[in-house]
Amino acid sequence: IITVKKILIILGIFISTLSFSQVDNQTIVARYMEFYEYNSYSNEFEEISAQWVETIMDFDDDYYDISIDGSDFNRVYWEFEERDKDLGDIYYTQDELKFIFNYDEQKIYFYSEYDDGIELYTEIIVLSKISKK
């Protein structure tokens, strides 16, 4: 006999796996964008700018289409890399840019400008204020 406690545990496990699944084939809208650059003197990322910008992303298994502030959609091909329990789902684009979809924070991180010398991406764009379209 399955008890109510067992049902709640099973349901909890099922819901937690849903919240950490790969990005579904869906369209989302992010309304806020922040830019960060790495400062080698302070060894930290510093915010360069933050602004209200509408970004529409249409996700597919092999690519996403993106439009920023009403521009034409551009297609970017990507590969799922891994699921990190703290960061979220990590992808790499065709240009080897790092893309992280953080489900807990409801933010999307784009890492670019990889510096081989310090082995670090030196620019980050963060999209937030996300909703499904």
Side-chain angles (χ1 to χ4, degrees):
I1 285 183
I2 297 179
T3 64
V4 172
K5 186 177 180 180
K6 286 182 182 177
I7 291 172
L8 290 175
I9 290 171
I10 292 169
L11 187 59
I13 292 169
F14 179 69
I15 290 172
S16 67
T17 25
L18 282 178
S19 64
F20 283 100
S21 62
Q22 281 181 252
V23 176
D24 293 328
N25 294 349
Q26 63 183 330
T27 301
I28 64 154
V29 178
R31 291 172 177 76
Y32 198 70
M33 185 181 290
E34 300 163 273
F35 296 89
Y36 295 88
E37 282 186 358
Y38 181 72
N39 181 326
S40 58
Y41 296 110
S42 67
N43 201 30
E44 294 181 0
F45 283 91
E46 297 178 353
E47 185 178 290
I48 302 303
S49 71
Q51 54 194 334
W52 290 94
V53 176
E54 183 177 85
T55 305
I56 300 172
M57 299 182 74
D58 186 19
F59 295 106
D60 194 270
D61 293 335
D62 298 324
Y63 62 88
Y64 62 88
D65 293 326
I66 184 168
S67 169
I68 300 172
D69 233 8
S71 67
D72 290 338
F73 278 90
N74 289 311
R75 181 160 289 174
V76 178
Y77 288 90
W78 64 355
E79 282 285 326
F80 177 74
E81 178 72 19
E82 68 177 305
R83 179 168 297 124
D84 183 284
K85 68 177 184 147
D86 296 321
L87 298 176
D89 285 349
I90 301 172
Y91 293 80
Y92 284 92
T93 68
Q94 65 196 34
D95 300 327
E96 297 185 20
L97 303 179
K98 190 175 185 178
F99 177 103
I100 298 177
F101 199 109
N102 187 303
Y103 300 101
D104 289 340
E105 295 179 4
Q106 289 296 297
K107 292 184 178 181
I108 299 172
Y109 296 83
F110 292 95
Y111 292 80
S112 61
E113 301 303 321
Y114 190 79
D115 185 322
D116 289 321
I118 58 175
E119 298 180 344
L120 183 75
Y121 287 96
T122 59
E123 294 182 6
I124 304 172
I125 297 174
V126 181
L127 301 179
S128 59
K129 312 291 187 220
I130 295 174
S131 63
K132 290 184 179 180
K133 188 170 183 181

